[in-house]
Amino acid sequence: MQHGTDKAAGGPGMMMDAAGGKILTTAEGHTLYTFDKDSGGMSNCDASCLKIWPAYHASAKTKAVAPWSKVKASDGKDMWAYNGKPVYTYIKDKKAGDMEGDGVGGNWHVIK
């Protein structure tokens, strides 16, 4: 599935070629998602949600560069946001390039 990667605007993710076009992934190639119920740059994924949709955590020392920013996850840790939307991975994605979470519950979407 992976044909090539590009660093995503100097941030912590990369753009990866997938069957449906380019998607945003972690440096390790794991698909990144947004949650429709997040708003105002805040995560609405509670502790039980984070067990299934782990926040893409950011080190406190790492500086965010647009379009990346940092927000607080419900666990109180810094997490990455892309274009103001908090970013997550999905527990059922087992290997780089998996996109099992796309469309789950009609609220979770791969970042393209």
Side-chain angles (χ1 to χ4, degrees), residues 7-111:
K7 198 72 168 156
M14 300 184 332
M15 295 305 288
M16 182 177 95
D17 290 327
K22 288 191 178 282
I23 62 169
L24 191 60
T25 69
T26 67
E28 296 80 26
H30 296 281
T31 304
L32 294 172
Y33 300 89
T34 57
F35 183 39
D36 286 347
K37 294 183 179 182
D38 289 343
S39 63
M42 294 182 60
S43 172
N44 286 308
C45 187
D46 62 19
S48 61
C49 172
L50 288 176
K51 289 179 182 176
I52 299 167
W53 299 93
Y56 186 35
H57 285 121
S59 165
K61 296 177 184 178
T62 306
K63 185 176 180 172
V65 177
W68 292 94
S69 59
K70 292 182 190 177
V71 297
K72 292 286 184 196
S74 63
D75 61 9
K77 296 178 184 174
D78 284 338
M79 69 182 289
W80 289 110
Y82 187 73
N83 289 325
K85 295 196 66 103
V87 175
Y88 308 85
T89 58
Y90 185 47
I91 196 83
K92 292 185 179 180
D93 287 348
K94 300 298 181 190
K95 64 184 184 311
D98 282 354
M99 295 185 290
E100 298 297 319
D102 195 28
V104 169
N107 294 307
W108 294 92
H109 307 283
V110 170
I111 303 170

